[in-house]
Amino acid sequence: MDVARQALDRMQQVLPQEGFIPLHEPTFGGAETELLIKCVESTFVSSVGAYVDEFERRLAEFTGAARAVAVVNGTAALQVALDVCGVERGDEVLMPALTFVATANAASYLGAVPHFVDSEEHTFGVDPVRLREHLVSAAEVRDGVCLNRSTGRPIRALVPVHVFGHPCDVEALAEVCDDYSITLVEDAAESLGSWRDGTHTGRFGRCSAVSFNGNKIITTGGGGAVLTNDEALADRIRHLTTTAKVPHKWEYRHDAAGYNFRMPNINAALGCAQMDQLEGFIAAKRTLAERYAQAFDGLDGVRFVTEPAGCRSNYWLNAVLLEGDAVATREAILETTNAAGYMTRPAWQLMHRLPMYEACPRMELPVAERLEAGVINLPSGAGL
């Protein structure tokens, strides 16, 4: 039996099939309809309302962050996070080449330039050792500012990504940032419900971005949030994302070019119902991951991706990594599993391969290229 057929057989052991199985669909098994109806009846469906306040409070409580500010989506959350952390037009922002395009877009919207760095195989996140080696040769700190020796541009921030919900080595990355006067802003879009050494992802940098898109572990339809332990920074984010409107009983006064990014109350109502079920979603996804790990154990050239040591992952997207000769079977596995009704997907195309980012600075990316060639995501919804 060829590798593709064996991979399908292992998936069928975990998920006996009845119809098409999506990669990650939302689960609505709580008070979603009830809260949505109450929100509509209240007439407060836009960016002001009790559900927004409640959703933010519960996010902060769950993650341990001092504050959460809910916005329209995860990309907007990352954009405003970079903005308030001082990223300006012409700055460079370090980020993994292996990420969803929104990470690079968020920097680009500010006029900043993505600077792509390599990943490590056991976390899929930015490799802190190789990043430091890269900065030794590529950068220098002058008057408290990290500068790219080749371009002369400031390297203002690092955006590590917790890929597929698995925490990266963010503590080591924070040390690199400290040594090079770089601000750490986490892209925690995929990792709500993931912890590293007992600390929730998104709490290691100055602030972080979380996503609640329809394919995330909980959803608000569209939505995101910025997490931070800095009260003043949270106030600034809230102000900027509410069109920088100065409070007044009737006048429209604005003191900055702000964003219309606040999460609508009706989306937050959905989020509150989802938060009630979050612990159950995490437990279900971890059980699914255990079953995948058992099923794929012993399949030559196919390794199920497990959480890094010292971490507790939400297993947002389950994945296998093809190794050795099995890498050549990736397309056959994708074709075989999808034809059988199991939605599987490769990892994202590396950012420097996209036409709008191909001229951006980057280090050598051998690990990211191996991961791009060998990763396949498996159906991962909590309802499975």
Side-chain angles (χ1 to χ4, degrees):
M1 187 184 299
D2 62 24
V3 175
R5 183 64 222 182
Q6 291 181 73
L8 175 60
D9 180 64
R10 305 301 174 98
M11 291 182 63
Q12 289 172 330
Q13 292 176 29
V14 177
L15 300 172
Q17 184 166 347
E18 291 185 9
F20 176 72
I21 300 181
L23 190 68
H24 197 294
E25 64 180 352
T27 298
F28 301 120
E32 288 88 353
T33 301
E34 176 187 350
L35 295 190
L36 287 171
I37 291 172
K38 287 182 178 179
C39 184
V40 170
E41 290 176 343
S42 76
T43 75
F44 285 90
V45 296
S46 294
S47 57
V48 175
Y51 289 116
V52 175
D53 296 338
E54 175 69 8
F55 187 55
E56 290 177 335
R57 183 193 65 76
R58 294 185 65 177
L59 279 174
E61 180 181 8
F62 180 83
T63 61
R67 294 278 296 278
V69 182
V71 295
V72 292
N73 55 56
T75 310
L78 186 55
Q79 179 182 343
V80 73
L82 291 170
D83 187 347
V84 298
C85 287
V87 173
E88 299 178 345
R89 181 171 296 278
D91 289 347
E92 293 183 11
V93 178
L94 300 165
M95 64 184 68
L98 180 69
T99 186
F100 181 56
V101 70
T103 310
N105 287 346
S108 181
Y109 296 156
L110 297 172
V113 179
H115 183 148
F116 300 118
V117 298
D118 204 12
S119 304
E120 55 181 3
E121 194 164 302
H122 63 286
T123 70
F124 286 16
V126 172
D127 186 328
V129 175
R130 295 200 62 239
L131 174 61
R132 185 181 290 277
E133 292 171 350
H134 174 62
L135 291 175
V136 166
S137 60
E140 63 178 328
V141 178
R142 194 185 308 162
D143 297 326
V145 177
C146 185
L147 298 173
N148 185 324
R149 296 180 194 269
S150 298
T151 66
R153 292 187 292 248
I155 299 177
R156 195 71 66 183
L158 166 67
V159 182
V161 180
H162 303 292
V163 176
F164 306 149
H166 298 299
C168 65
D169 192 355
V170 67
E171 294 135 316
L173 293 170
E175 292 178 4
V176 176
C177 287
D178 288 343
D179 292 343
Y180 279 87
S181 299
I182 295 170
T183 301
L184 178 64
V185 178
E186 291 174 73
D187 185 339
E190 304 164 10
S191 63
L192 182 66
S194 295
W195 281 263
R196 183 177 183 87
D197 296 326
T199 299
H200 196 281
T201 56
R203 291 183 53 210
F204 294 87
R206 192 165 183 214
C207 57
S208 65
V210 184
S211 173
F212 311 113
N213 189 40
N215 68 344
K216 295 301 189 293
I217 190 164
I218 68 166
T219 185
T220 57
V226 182
L227 305 178
T228 183
N229 290 325
D230 187 327
E231 293 282 356
L233 199 67
D235 290 341
R236 180 65 177 165
I237 294 166
R238 180 184 290 274
H239 179 63
L240 283 178
T241 55
T242 317
T243 66
K245 186 178 183 297
V246 179
H248 192 276
K249 288 184 178 180
W250 52 79
E251 290 191 7
Y252 289 91
R253 299 177 180 175
H254 306 262
D255 60 5
Y259 303 100
N260 188 13
F261 278 178
R262 292 288 283 150
M263 177 183 284
N265 199 45
I266 196 165
N267 294 82
L270 184 62
C272 288
Q274 290 271 286
M275 285 296 296
D276 290 338
Q277 304 163 79
L278 177 53
E279 294 282 9
F281 291 164
I282 296 169
K285 290 170 72 63
R286 289 181 62 82
T287 296
L288 178 61
E290 290 174 3
R291 292 177 179 170
Y292 274 134
Q294 292 169 5
F296 280 96
D297 184 40
L299 180 55
D300 189 41
V302 181
R303 175 169 65 85
F304 182 74
V305 178
T306 57
E307 61 196 359
C311 298
R312 183 173 175 83
S313 175
N314 66 5
Y315 283 93
W316 170 58
L317 281 187
N318 289 295
V320 292
L321 178 62
L322 307 180
E323 300 173 320
D325 293 341
V327 173
T329 69
R330 189 189 76 162
E331 294 305 306
I333 293 173
L334 291 167
E335 289 176 2
T336 299
T337 52
N338 278 278
Y342 294 90
M343 181 183 285
T344 57
R345 288 291 183 268
W348 315 284
Q349 190 173 25
L350 297 184
M351 292 299 99
H352 70 285
R353 302 195 199 281
L354 303 180
M356 61 282 198
Y357 297 127
E358 61 185 6
C360 290
R362 66 179 186 270
M363 65 185 286
E364 294 297 313
L365 303 166
V367 176
E369 289 169 356
R370 286 203 301 274
L371 295 176
E372 178 191 39
V375 167
I376 295 178
N377 288 123
L378 312 176
S380 302
L384 298 177

